[in-house]
Amino acid sequence: TVLEDHWYAASLAGAKVGSMNVRAVADATGDVTYATTLEMSMNRGATEVSLTVSNRWLETREGRPLEASLIQDMSMMKQETTWRFEDGQLVISESAGGGERTRTQPLTRDRWLTPYSATKYFQERAARGEDTISVRTMSPEIGPKVVTTTYTRQGTDRIEIAGRPREASVWNMVNDATPGLVTKLWLSQDGVNLVTEVDLGMGVMRMELVDRATAGGKAEELPEVFYKLLVEPDRPIEDPWRARRAILDV
């Protein structure tokens, strides 16, 4: 049974760079597979770089985690992390560049929710009218530790999605692993995430709800990300090849 299946167009600095799919499926036993797949392409100097990030969680109908995986594939570099939840232990397998290692550590006793359950928790409390919502979860992207994500209601907005206006509540989302990175999101009245925006420094990354065909459409002129990460001095550098020290105001 498909519980949800949403497609998003991904843009960076105003240019379409790819798509994201968020999908939850329940099998005959009630176990839920929750998967997000992000596919993007950008320019790094004269080279086009393709990136795919896939997150997948398997949990019981009660929300107990069984397995999680993260695959990050960037052109010629691929990394994969798998978590297995076994008898109070977390078995972590990591592979990159042909090598693989596995380690086991005690599973935290802290209370937390899987990403799918955490999303539902937020949506339910937002529908009740709560203005500040905190939820604790875990992610292979961050590592085997509990992270607290806090949502703060900013107000309401009317935005156009797929050619028609939608009423939405507006939220700021931040987690304690990256407290300086604030994500803004627009949530529909029926609990669907319509738009998310986050400033990555090289430009604003925007995910907007679309149909599958639009999400898979050809990307526009790809943004250049490499040179945007360089620091431009405010005046000429005397004898730059001999310089050994710089002061940066960031």
Side-chain angles (χ1 to χ4, degrees):
T1 303
V2 177
L3 304 177
E4 65 176 88
D5 188 13
H6 301 304
W7 288 87
Y8 297 86
S11 63
L12 179 62
K16 187 177 187 299
V17 293
S19 65
M20 182 174 72
N21 178 232
V22 180
R23 182 177 173 88
V25 178
D27 65 17
T29 68
D31 290 351
V32 176
T33 298
Y34 183 61
T36 62
T37 302
L38 171 65
E39 297 181 335
M40 295 194 310
S41 296
M42 294 172 286
N43 284 331
R44 185 177 181 182
T47 304
E48 180 178 326
V49 177
S50 296
L51 170 67
T52 300
V53 180
S54 300
N55 274 284
R56 177 184 173 276
W57 280 77
L58 176 63
E59 63 182 75
T60 66
R61 70 172 72 191
E62 297 81 18
R64 180 172 60 86
L66 300 174
E67 187 175 288
S69 65
L70 167 68
I71 299 175
Q72 301 178 90
D73 190 349
M74 188 174 71
S75 297
M76 297 182 66
M77 182 175 67
K78 184 176 182 179
Q79 297 178 318
E80 184 171 356
T81 301
T82 301
W83 290 356
R84 298 193 310 276
F85 299 85
E86 301 177 353
D87 300 322
Q89 299 289 313
L90 179 59
V91 181
I92 303 172
S93 299
E94 299 170 316
S95 63
E100 183 175 350
R101 66 186 185 120
T102 300
R103 68 183 192 276
T104 301
Q105 67 179 57
L107 188 60
T108 177
R109 294 181 177 274
D110 294 338
R111 297 186 65 181
W112 59 280
L113 298 175
T114 62
Y116 180 68
S117 296
T119 298
K120 295 304 177 185
Y121 179 93
F122 161 63
Q123 292 171 345
E124 290 168 1
R125 278 150 183 78
R128 294 177 189 174
E130 296 184 22
D131 292 331
T132 302
I133 303 167
S134 292
V135 60
R136 308 179 78 191
T137 187
M138 293 178 69
S139 168
E141 288 180 292
I142 296 174
K145 65 178 183 179
V146 175
V147 174
T148 299
T149 299
T150 301
Y151 300 85
T152 307
R153 190 188 298 266
Q154 303 298 303
T156 59
D157 194 8
R158 186 177 176 86
I159 60 175
E160 185 172 298
I161 298 294
R164 66 187 184 94
R166 300 282 296 270
E167 299 292 337
S169 56
V170 184
W171 299 79
N172 280 351
M173 178 183 72
V174 65
N175 67 61
D176 57 6
T178 54
L181 199 63
V182 179
T183 298
K184 185 176 182 180
L185 63 90
W186 285 256
L187 188 72
S188 72
Q189 294 177 327
D190 55 352
V192 176
N193 188 14
L194 300 176
V195 174
T196 61
E197 288 185 347
V198 58
D199 191 342
L200 300 179
M202 66 185 77
V204 173
M205 174 67 74
R206 178 182 174 94
M207 300 288 179
E208 181 174 330
L209 183 69
V210 295
D211 57 38
R212 182 172 184 174
T214 302
K218 183 175 176 58
E220 302 165 5
E221 182 177 350
L222 300 178
E224 209 297 314
V225 297
F226 177 71
Y227 293 116
K228 288 186 177 181
L229 299 178
L230 301 179
V231 177
E232 182 177 350
D234 59 355
R235 59 182 180 273
I237 300 175
E238 295 182 10
D239 202 357
W241 302 112
R242 294 178 179 271
R244 292 293 180 268
R245 181 171 178 267
I247 298 176
L248 306 179
D249 185 7
V250 298

